[in-house]
Amino acid sequence: MRLLLVEDHVPLADELISGLNSKGYAVDWLADGRDAVHQGASEPYDLIILDLGLPGLPGLEVLQQWRSGGLLTPVLILTARGSWAERIEGLKAGADDYLGKPFHPEELQLRIQALLRRSHGLVNQPTLEAAGLQLDESRQCVAQDGVEVQLTAAEFRLLRYFMHHPAQLLSKSHLAEHLYDGETERDSNVIEVHVNHLRRKLGRAVIETRRGQGYRFGATTE
Ligand code: CA
């Protein structure tokens, strides 16, 4: 899952990026509202975290421009603590959720998790379930037929993306765009390696290869 963080307070941005990276999210960071209008609409983000007080262009106007342009990406806004006016304006402008500063990092993680699941039509439960697997996002491991299987960080990120898109055909380049931030060089051969590792751990049928097209997760086991 690839997120855009728009936040001009550098120490907070640093803290959020490292926390989100440790939870397996690829994060692109911007501090300026004008840059955010363009990049948020042109890169395929799974979710956007948007501060409202920004240089260049206020976050509220950034959000309004995204929504009037038809951008459907879930947006979580960061508001001043106790400012009900900001929350109301943000929700009216098309925010999906909000968090008042300061907040606990775990609350942000859980809200992101819930928003991502909701945007994919999935139920928000302690574990994410698809194709007979239960993914524990907080512990980054998966259970299959009651047996817990350990995952590397890269395997967890890939499996989480697959489990949010069951039975969908996903090309290697699509997967790379959603698993790596904009700074990381994308090598689709690496995706293939991780797919093979997941198959070795969870069984070949879990991920189907469509030659020249990509992968389908959970297509044959449902
Ligand atoms: Ca700010």
Side-chain angles (χ1 to χ4, degrees):
M1 295 288 180
R2 183 171 163 208
L3 315 184
L4 174 63
L5 171 66
V6 190
E7 167 61 67
D8 63 314
H9 185 52
V10 177
L12 176 61
D14 279 345
E15 187 191 324
L16 293 180
I17 292 166
S18 76
L20 292 166
N21 286 159
S22 77
K23 294 292 176 185
Y25 297 107
V27 183
D28 289 348
W29 170 55
L30 293 175
D32 184 280
R34 282 165 306 196
D35 297 340
V37 169
H38 171 73
Q39 192 165 322
S42 57
E43 291 290 318
Y45 294 110
D46 296 294
L47 181 141
I48 298 171
I49 301 163
L50 176 68
D51 182 32
L52 291 186
L54 290 173
L57 193 68
L60 202 60
E61 287 182 38
V62 173
L63 179 57
Q64 283 163 343
Q65 290 198 28
W66 282 338
R67 292 306 188 220
S68 66
L71 187 76
L72 299 172
T73 312
V75 175
L76 185 152
I77 53 171
L78 303 178
T79 68
R81 192 183 187 191
S83 172
W84 55 265
E86 271 193 8
R87 295 200 296 272
I88 289 172
E89 289 305 315
L91 291 168
K92 276 185 180 168
D96 297 275
D97 200 1
Y98 63 84
L99 205 47
K101 290 177 178 180
F103 50 82
H104 194 282
E106 193 178 0
E107 184 173 5
L108 177 65
Q109 307 284 1
L110 291 170
R111 285 181 184 271
I112 289 171
Q113 181 181 299
L115 272 179
L116 286 170
R117 290 188 189 178
R118 199 192 305 157
S119 68
H120 290 89
L122 301 167
V123 182
N124 194 24
Q125 292 171 335
T127 60
L128 173 61
E129 298 192 13
L133 302 176
Q134 290 95 37
L135 188 73
D136 186 328
E137 292 191 58
S138 57
R139 293 175 52 237
Q140 303 194 7
C141 63
V142 66
Q144 184 179 41
D145 303 324
V147 180
E148 195 169 291
V149 179
Q150 298 304 315
L151 300 169
T152 65
E155 290 162 6
F156 167 73
R157 289 198 295 270
L158 178 60
L159 183 60
R160 175 166 61 187
Y161 195 83
F162 274 134
M163 290 180 74
H164 279 81
H165 302 83
Q168 290 179 32
L169 184 60
L170 304 169
S171 70
K172 278 189 218 173
S173 60
H174 175 100
L175 288 167
E177 278 191 325
H178 286 270
L179 294 172
Y180 301 111
D181 61 52
E183 305 278 292
T184 304
E185 199 173 328
R186 292 167 198 164
D187 178 359
S188 53
N189 292 324
V190 175
I191 303 270
E192 198 173 318
V193 170
H194 296 314
V195 165
N196 287 332
H197 288 167
L198 284 175
R199 283 194 179 128
R200 211 171 299 155
K201 289 183 174 181
L202 302 169
R204 292 205 66 79
V206 167
I207 303 162
E208 172 196 359
T209 301
R210 293 285 193 88
R211 201 161 290 278
Q213 293 181 302
Y215 300 107
R216 274 211 318 167
F217 165 84
T220 50
T221 49
E222 277 180 6

